[in-house]
């Protein structure tokens, strides 16, 4: 797969430019929402087809994030402006953690995003197997990434993350399953710099992640 490229956003027509400048330069901050989503269908499909739920849900997050420009933003130097200017990656890949039980540490690895689930699944499993054999904290990753992690030891209602330096792509985390009224619920959190997105956009991410997990369950059952 070719390296991801970015394109400068035309700030004269971009409806969000005033919001971007305010939250990037004047009042920098991040916004986040954590909520339970229903993953019953995907969990059951993975169990039946002997698929990794973790890798499958990693694909869900990557698919939704790559579907929306606000989750693929970056800021770059431009000769035309004294400020860092907004740009959008044509693709963002995913950085994720591989836990080492023996040392209770982890290795950051990354997986190239592919729209085809089977291709992504195969590559991600290989990346995880490779990271399991490493003792370093992280492997080199490109600039066009978002971060995802799983906290399978607890069902949480919020999670706090501070990102420095300024990163515009999201940080996603999910936790332990919890049964509720015959369904399987899972906490999903997304945090993003306020220059890139608002509550509307991160709410849409949560809604679409829940919906797409059901779609992916059908894809897996059809394999």
């Amino acid at each position: 797969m070719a390296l991801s490229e970015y394109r400068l956003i035309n700030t004269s027509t971009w409806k969000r430019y005033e919001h971007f400048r305010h939250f990037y330069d004047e009042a920098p901050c991040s916004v986040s929402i954590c909520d339970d989503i229903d993953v019953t269908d995907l969990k059951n499909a993975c169990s039946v087809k002997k698929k990794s739920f973790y890798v499958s849900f990693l694909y869900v997050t990557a698919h939704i994030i790559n579907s929306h420009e606000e989750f693929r933003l970056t800021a770059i130097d431009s000769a035309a402006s004294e400020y860092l200017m907004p740009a959008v990656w044509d693709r963002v890949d995913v950085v994720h953690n591989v836990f080492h039980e023996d040392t209770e540490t982890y290795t950051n690895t990354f997986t190239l995003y592919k729209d085809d689930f089977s291709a992504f699944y195969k590559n991600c499993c290989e990346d995880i197997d490779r990271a399991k054999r490493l003792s370093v904290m992280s492997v080199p990753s490109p600039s066009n990434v978002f971060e995802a992690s799983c906290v399978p030891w607890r069902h949480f209602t919020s999670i706090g993350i501070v990102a420095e330096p300024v990163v515009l792509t999201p940080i996603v985390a999910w936790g332990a399953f919890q049964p509720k009224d015959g369904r399987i619920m899972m906490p999903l959190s997304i945090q993003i710099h306020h220059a890139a997105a608002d509550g509307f956009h991160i709410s849409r991410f949560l809604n679409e992640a829940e919906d797409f997990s059901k779609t992916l369950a059908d894809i897996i059952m059809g394999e």
Side-chain angles (χ1 to χ4, degrees):
M1 179 179 286
L3 293 175
S4 184
E5 298 181 351
Y6 62 77
R7 61 172 173 80
L8 280 171
I9 292 175
N10 184 345
T11 56
S12 65
T13 59
W14 191 36
K15 301 297 184 182
R16 188 172 181 79
Y17 186 57
E18 184 177 354
H19 300 73
F20 175 86
R21 283 271 73 98
H22 173 72
F23 287 114
Y24 197 91
D25 300 317
E26 300 170 11
C29 61
S30 295
V31 290
S32 65
I33 293 179
C34 176
D35 200 4
D36 278 346
I37 67 169
D38 187 338
V39 294
T40 308
D41 294 350
L42 182 58
K43 180 68 168 62
N44 290 341
C46 289
S47 296
V48 169
K49 293 293 187 175
K50 304 294 190 286
K51 292 281 190 182
S52 164
F53 177 87
Y54 171 79
V55 175
S56 300
F57 195 75
L58 201 61
Y59 173 77
V60 169
T61 65
H63 176 83
I64 302 303
I65 284 172
N66 274 280
S67 298
H68 297 285
E69 286 193 356
E70 64 265 19
F71 298 139
R72 293 184 279 117
L73 293 183
T74 186
I76 65 168
D77 285 315
S78 172
S81 174
E82 61 180 301
Y83 302 105
L84 290 175
M85 296 299 289
V88 58
W89 292 108
D90 58 15
R91 184 192 78 248
V92 288
D93 303 317
V94 53
V95 166
H96 51 108
N97 301 328
V98 176
F99 185 66
H100 303 297
E101 293 186 6
D102 56 338
T103 60
E104 298 182 350
T105 60
Y106 65 87
T107 294
N108 263 144
T109 188
F110 83 97
T111 297
L112 293 173
Y113 174 68
K114 290 181 177 291
D115 192 53
D116 179 76
F117 170 67
S118 295
F120 177 89
Y121 188 93
K122 177 179 180 293
N123 289 347
C124 189
C125 288
E126 291 174 353
D127 295 333
I128 291 172
D129 287 343
R130 190 179 304 112
K132 285 180 178 178
R133 300 191 296 269
L134 299 176
S135 58
V136 297
M137 180 177 174
S138 62
V139 299
S141 62
S143 300
N144 58 307
V145 295
F146 75 97
E147 294 188 32
S149 62
C150 177
V151 185
W153 307 280
R154 291 290 299 185
H155 182 278
F156 53 78
T157 55
S158 66
I159 189 166
I161 305 166
V162 177
E164 293 291 344
V166 173
V167 176
L168 293 177
T169 49
I171 300 173
V172 178
W174 59 94
F177 304 122
Q178 184 174 74
K180 181 179 180 181
D181 300 328
R183 308 298 291 176
I184 301 172
M185 309 302 291
M186 185 184 75
L188 176 60
S189 168
I190 177 171
Q191 174 178 303
I192 192 167
H193 198 287
H194 212 343
D198 305 316
F200 167 81
H201 305 98
I202 57 180
S203 296
R204 180 167 62 188
F205 167 83
L206 293 170
N207 293 336
E208 291 187 1
E210 183 171 55
D211 290 342
F212 189 67
S213 70
K214 298 173 184 176
T215 300
L216 182 57
D218 292 337
I219 293 171
I220 291 173
M221 290 301 295
E223 290 185 338

